[in-house]
Amino acid sequence: MALADERGLGAVSMRSVAELVGVTPMALYPHVGSKAALLDGMVGRLLGQLVAEPGPTAPDPPAAPWRERLGTLARGVRQMAVRHPWAAGLLFSRPAVASGSMRTVDLIFAALLEAGIPPAEVPRLERMVSSFILGHVASEAGGRFGPLTQDLRDERYRHRGQELPAHARLDDVLETTVDWDAEFEANLDDLALMIEAVADRARG
Amino acid sequence: MALADERGLGAVSMRSVAELVGVTPMALYPHVGSKAALLDGMVGRLLGQLVAEPGPTAPDPPAAPWRERLGTLARGVRQMAVRHPWAAGLLFSRPAVASGSMRTVDLIFAALLEAGIPPAEVPRLERMVSSFILGHVASEAGGRFGPLTQDLRDERYRHRGQELPAHARLDDVLETTVDWDAEFEANLDDLALMIEAVADRARG
DNA sequence: ACCTGAACACCGTTCAAGT
DNA sequence: ACCTGAACACCGTTCAAGT
């Protein structure tokens, strides 16, 4: 994990890890099984830290309102991706039902139940909420949300009229710089809005 | 792309591509620049197909209601990930403002404007909507949504009481099998619900 | 029980040389 | 202008051998 944090996931090889540990590459195999298992273990450890208490992102007391608890968890995931950008992409290939993820899933389940989502809809909404959080966080960590280079800005401006009609209607708005912390908070607000709307629909 | 579809992204190497083309690996470099540029080109081509007309996922006429157009686009992205699972993960590391993505972004912009989202909030909501769609689609393609092996089912059942209290309240619901097509449609419905709620809030 | 060394079948990319 | 061949510095993993 130190290797991935400092030099990127590409710098993590059985050979580099072995050197760091002071051992021959093949000595790792009885311990970690394979490189895939090593990466799996890294993600698992991170997920464990996420819901561990005490820790950098200790969960709110269970008594806190569901909106608060969901926010704290989401911020924890985002912080994890900031500190360990290599992890964001790996999370999509790790079953959400795996050991390390179950606690996280349970926290979202509890929040949704408290919000008034009918049990039958809770698993689907958990997947929806977690997909959004991971999608946002992977977009930030992976670079999907930026940067807008001058070349791309020029290209956008050229095609504004015909091929990008909606862009043309947003000319000034698209020039403002984005506060990503504020955007994440606003998204969490709207996610809560959706959860409430789904709960209302269920109440009839 | 044929190589990635048939044997996975791992089978795509400069050497394997060169062999397929009937040329030496080094002969590719003047044409594609580097392997990173090759992967970038693959994603760009896919995004181009997504909004091309005519094509496998031709967009609705601009006259169709925004909810319809958003659904068609989202289904197109999902279908793309089904046909080309290797692409899902790559999309997070490709700037959403890159050439190939701009048309897709514009379609979402237009839908949100028509839904009544105030211009100042449209870019943020576009990122939110696309993050959810990509997050969902990458979860399906990457394997995050399954499978629940017997081992994991057992472990979940063991920890049900204390560590996973919300799981315990969902015992029966968690045993039902999921229709992923229906789930995606339900998620799109709830996404539209959120968009309407945000528009309503803006209307005061 | 745990580790080493050599080997196999791969990578992306450079460089100089060919036609 | 376009391609080849050899080489460099890497990979994950196997196998047999050591202590």
Side-chain angles (χ1 to χ4, degrees):
Chain A
M1 285 173 59
L3 222 41
D5 288 348
E6 281 156 35
R7 297 213 289 273
L9 198 58
V12 178
S13 70
M14 296 304 273
R15 288 166 146 96
S16 63
V17 171
E19 193 184 21
L20 201 71
V21 175
V23 97
T24 261
M26 285 316 302
L28 298 177
Y29 279 79
H31 296 279
V32 304
S34 69
K35 188 181 179 185
L38 175 67
L39 295 178
D40 233 51
M42 289 164 65
V43 179
R45 180 172 271 245
L46 235 45
L47 286 172
Q49 286 173 9
L50 197 66
V51 291
E53 198 166 5
T57 54
D60 289 302
W66 66 268
R67 172 65 184 83
E68 212 91 335
R69 274 156 35 216
L70 208 59
T72 302
L73 179 63
R75 272 176 226 115
V77 174
R78 182 161 178 256
Q79 211 168 78
M80 181 189 89
V82 168
R83 281 204 263 257
H84 315 285
W86 49 267
L90 291 178
L91 285 167
F92 291 109
S93 53
R94 194 186 161 77
V97 287
S99 333
S101 316
M102 290 199 300
R103 285 272 307 153
T104 311
V105 171
D106 200 73
L107 290 176
I108 303 179
F109 277 173
L112 294 171
L113 284 169
E114 192 185 312
I117 303 292
E121 298 217 66
V122 163
R124 175 178 71 79
L125 245 78
E126 185 283 323
R127 286 187 284 269
M128 195 177 174
V129 166
S130 57
S131 290
F132 160 69
I133 296 173
L134 288 183
H136 183 107
V137 146
S139 294
E140 278 193 276
R144 191 173 82 84
F145 283 165
L148 179 57
T149 61
Q150 191 56 48
D151 280 8
L152 291 168
R153 191 197 303 276
D154 292 349
E155 190 181 344
R156 182 157 86 182
Y157 194 82
R158 272 202 311 283
H159 299 158
R160 219 174 29 128
Q162 321 195 38
E163 287 157 77
L164 305 173
H167 277 76
R169 291 204 270 158
L170 295 168
D171 254 348
D172 42 350
V173 163
L174 289 173
E175 289 301 321
T176 61
T177 58
V178 182
D179 175 342
W180 296 106
D181 288 355
E183 169 139 346
F184 191 68
E185 292 301 322
N187 285 351
L188 289 180
D189 281 343
D190 289 351
L191 204 61
L193 203 65
M194 182 194 75
I195 291 168
E196 269 155 8
V198 173
D200 281 347
R201 183 183 57 197
R203 278 190 279 264
Chain B
M1 285 173 60
L3 221 40
D5 288 348
E6 280 156 36
R7 297 213 290 273
L9 198 58
V12 179
S13 69
M14 297 303 273
R15 287 166 147 97
S16 63
V17 171
E19 193 185 23
L20 201 72
V21 176
V23 96
T24 260
M26 286 317 302
L28 298 177
Y29 279 80
H31 296 278
V32 304
S34 69
K35 190 183 176 182
L38 175 68
L39 296 178
D40 233 50
M42 288 164 66
V43 179
R45 180 172 271 245
L46 234 44
L47 287 172
Q49 285 173 9
L50 195 65
V51 291
E53 194 163 8
T57 54
D60 289 303
W66 66 269
R67 172 65 184 83
E68 214 91 336
R69 275 156 34 218
L70 208 60
T72 302
L73 179 62
R75 272 176 226 113
V77 173
R78 182 161 178 255
Q79 211 167 78
M80 181 190 89
V82 167
R83 280 203 264 258
H84 315 286
W86 49 267
L90 291 179
L91 285 168
F92 290 109
S93 53
R94 195 186 161 77
V97 287
S99 333
S101 316
M102 291 200 298
R103 284 272 307 151
T104 312
V105 171
D106 201 74
L107 291 176
I108 304 179
F109 278 173
L112 293 172
L113 283 169
E114 193 185 312
I117 303 292
E121 297 217 65
V122 163
R124 176 179 70 80
L125 245 78
E126 186 281 325
R127 286 187 284 270
M128 194 176 174
V129 166
S130 58
S131 289
F132 160 69
I133 296 173
L134 288 183
H136 183 107
V137 147
S139 294
E140 277 192 278
R144 191 173 82 84
F145 284 166
L148 179 58
T149 61
Q150 191 56 48
D151 280 7
L152 290 169
R153 191 196 302 276
D154 292 348
E155 188 181 345
R156 181 157 87 182
Y157 195 82
R158 270 202 312 283
H159 297 157
R160 218 177 29 128
Q162 321 195 38
E163 287 156 76
L164 305 173
H167 278 75
R169 292 203 268 158
L170 294 168
D171 254 348
D172 43 348
V173 164
L174 290 173
E175 288 301 321
T176 61
T177 58
V178 182
D179 175 342
W180 296 106
D181 288 356
E183 169 139 346
F184 191 69
E185 292 302 322
N187 286 351
L188 289 180
D189 281 342
D190 289 351
L191 205 62
L193 202 65
M194 183 193 73
I195 291 168
E196 270 155 8
V198 173
D200 281 347
R201 183 182 56 197
R203 278 189 280 263

